[in-house]
Amino acid sequence: MTSVHDRCPVDALGELTGFRREFYECLTARADAVFELAEAVLCSDGPVRSLVELSLVGEHRRGHGSVYAALDRGRLDVGRLRRALSTVTLPRAADGRLVLAVDVTCWLRPDAHTSPERILCHTYGRGKDQHIMIPGWPYSFVVALETGRSSWTAPLDALRLAPGDDLAVVTAVQLRDVVGRLMAAGQWRAGDADILIVADAGYDGPRLAWLLRDLPVQILARMRSDRVLRRPAPARVAGTNGRPPRHGREFIFGDPGSWGVPDVSTTTDTRLYGQATAAAWDRLHPRLTRRAAWAEAADLPVIEGTVIRLEVDRLPSGAIPKPVWLWWSQVDATAAEVDRMWQAFLRRFDIEHTFRLLKQTLGWTCPKIRSPQAADRWTWLILAVYTQLRLARPLAADLRRPWEKPASPQCLSPARVRRGFRHLRAKTPSPAQAPKPSRPGPGRPPGRRNNQPATRHDVHTATGLTTAKTPAKKPGGKKSANPRPRRTG
């Protein structure tokens, strides 16, 4: 199947032009101002630092006041833009299947006391490398992953989490909508391989698989190293009284004596990690209890899957490698499938490169926006900008700096494609109309105070936003020397 960077320049230019036109049609109010704001982000010479500086870019033909008006009073048909993102060419794995990654990243707003719906977001590395909770807006992203050495992804959806949301339920609804749009767009047809969804340890993989059990998807999620799963229930002995057991012996991640002989074991030599050893155990499931997410369940299910333990010799950062535990929602895995799964999980980290590009280069979190609705519009504008960069990948020239190494068009990073987008823009027609002459408003008279101060809003805690990340430590608290493993789901 043809990938994004294998297309001919004519097809790539046509798809880029078509997406730009469709993006303009998604703008239902102040369309010209919003579209030229996206043009300024695309053609800016360096990283985006502030909104007002974008009005100085040559491609932005309007005043600086239109930048704020576009975000405050502009309108965007999000449903149509979501369908547009699902219809463009998407990257696929070596076997032709779609691989989706889901993760949450936060737009931190610690000083925005007048911004509503802020939630305490988990951060690490600030201060003295501590876990700190900072107010902000968490966003759940779904992207399609590529194969090979690349930092590119294909964003498909972004959803701001509201206070009190259950991460598993919200993610399941989001993924259900994304898969439905992919099927409607013809990206997945009957007979194709199931879509693989990769998630980190912040997600409950078995629960996510249960919520999406009616869709053609497979879940691959990392599990914490303190989990305890159960083996299948043993066969019932004839003549035994009482209720038959639902669970077998324990499989304790931290106790090698409970593992037994793995059903599949593979060893692969890699360039970055040295020798990678993967061991897989079949038909393991968590022991669910009637609490938390399963409190109202009529019957507790037994969600079986394959557990994969990945161990490598070294890490590129030089840190001491630790084993990684993965849970796959399928059973009876072969050696080839085990290797394919852990390699697909390693590609999940490409979404971290996307987050860094959105924040540090495209300026996703730089505007001081008060309204969360305006933040949503800016988020979708940034996703449309990133998609145009991805579609322009086969057309971009390598405008490298003198100290940079030459790179082929297939190996250009998103930042280097953006460096030459100003030349590509001249080849695609702009649907935005020229600005009309206008005068700035009178504003508030000098010396008059603002008698309508903005309402101040409290910060919501992460109640219901269930993640497996380590919370902030309590003052004076000590870490237990013998922590209890998680024996329930």
Side-chain angles (χ1 to χ4, degrees), residues 97-109:
R97 76 169 69 205
L98 288 169
V99 181
L100 307 182
V102 58
D103 202 359
V104 175
T105 186
C106 300
W107 183 343
L108 300 181
R109 297 303 311 277

Side-chain angles (χ1 to χ4, degrees), residues 451-475:
N451 297 324
Q452 297 179 354
T455 305
R456 301 173 73 91
H457 301 272
D458 295 332
V459 180
H460 300 268
T461 58
T463 303
L465 186 60
T466 54
T467 62
K469 296 180 179 178
T470 306
K473 296 182 180 179
K474 297 181 179 180

Side-chain angles (χ1 to χ4, degrees), residues 276-287:
T277 303
W281 291 266
D282 194 25
R283 298 186 181 276
L284 298 181
H285 64 274
R287 181 180 178 271

Side-chain angles (χ1 to χ4, degrees), residues 207-487:
R207 186 184 177 199
L208 203 58
W210 177 257
L211 294 175
L212 301 176
R213 62 188 181 278
D214 58 328
L215 295 179
V217 299
Q218 300 176 9
I219 306 298
L220 177 66
R222 183 169 69 93
M223 280 190 166
R224 292 174 46 171
S225 58
D226 61 349
R227 292 296 299 267
V228 177
L229 301 185
R230 295 298 186 100
R231 299 181 184 273
R236 185 177 178 85
V237 180
T240 304
N241 297 326
R243 189 175 65 177
R246 288 173 53 87
H247 312 285
R249 294 180 293 107
E250 288 185 341
F251 184 94
I252 306 174
F253 287 6
D255 183 12
S258 64
W259 300 348
V261 180
D263 297 306
V264 177
S265 181
T266 64
T267 301
T268 307
D269 292 329
T270 63
R271 185 184 62 87
L272 290 177
Y273 306 99
Q275 192 175 72
T277 303
W281 291 266
D282 194 25
R283 298 186 181 276
L284 298 181
H285 64 274
R287 181 180 178 271
L288 305 180
T289 57
R290 293 190 179 277
R291 64 175 186 176
W294 306 96
E296 300 179 359
D299 188 16
L300 295 177
V302 176
I303 310 173
E304 292 185 332
T306 301
V307 171
I308 303 173
R309 182 180 186 270
L310 176 63
E311 192 171 8
V312 298
D313 290 340
R314 63 178 183 272
L315 294 177
S317 62
I320 300 176
K322 297 180 180 180
V324 176
W325 293 91
L326 306 176
W327 185 88
W328 183 37
S329 60
Q330 302 297 306
V331 295
D332 300 329
T334 62
E337 290 175 334
V338 169
D339 285 339
R340 192 182 305 121
M341 288 303 108
W342 68 258
Q343 292 172 8
F345 177 78
L346 294 183
R347 300 262 38 108
R348 190 210 71 86
F349 294 97
D350 291 343
I351 195 174
E352 305 295 341
H353 297 287
T354 300
F355 290 157
R356 185 170 63 250
L357 177 81
L358 298 184
K359 294 181 180 181
Q360 298 181 4
T361 303
L362 301 183
W364 173 48
T365 58
C366 74
K368 306 302 180 183
I369 298 176
R370 176 186 299 176
S371 169
Q373 290 74 25
D376 294 342
R377 284 189 285 272
W378 175 251
T379 301
W380 282 106
L381 184 146
I382 293 298
L383 292 187
V385 166
Y386 184 90
T387 302
Q388 294 182 57
L389 292 177
R390 190 176 63 86
L391 296 179
R393 186 177 172 186
L395 306 170
D398 185 17
L399 303 179
R400 63 185 182 91
R401 302 289 188 252
W403 55 85
E404 294 177 341
K405 296 181 179 180
S408 61
Q410 294 80 7
C411 300
L412 291 179
S413 64
R416 292 176 76 162
V417 172
R418 175 173 175 259
R419 192 179 298 167
F421 191 87
R422 175 171 289 169
H423 304 284
L424 297 176
R425 177 182 174 274
K427 302 178 181 179
T428 60
S430 176
Q433 300 179 2
K436 299 179 180 179
S438 62
R439 294 182 180 179
R444 188 168 67 247
R448 179 174 296 183
R449 296 181 57 185
N450 182 15
N451 297 324
Q452 297 179 354
T455 305
R456 301 173 73 91
H457 301 272
D458 295 332
V459 180
H460 300 268
T461 58
T463 303
L465 186 60
T466 54
T467 62
K469 296 180 179 178
T470 306
K473 296 182 180 179
K474 297 181 179 180
K478 296 183 179 180
K479 186 177 181 180
S480 174
N482 298 314
R484 297 180 59 186
R486 295 178 56 187
R487 282 184 162 78

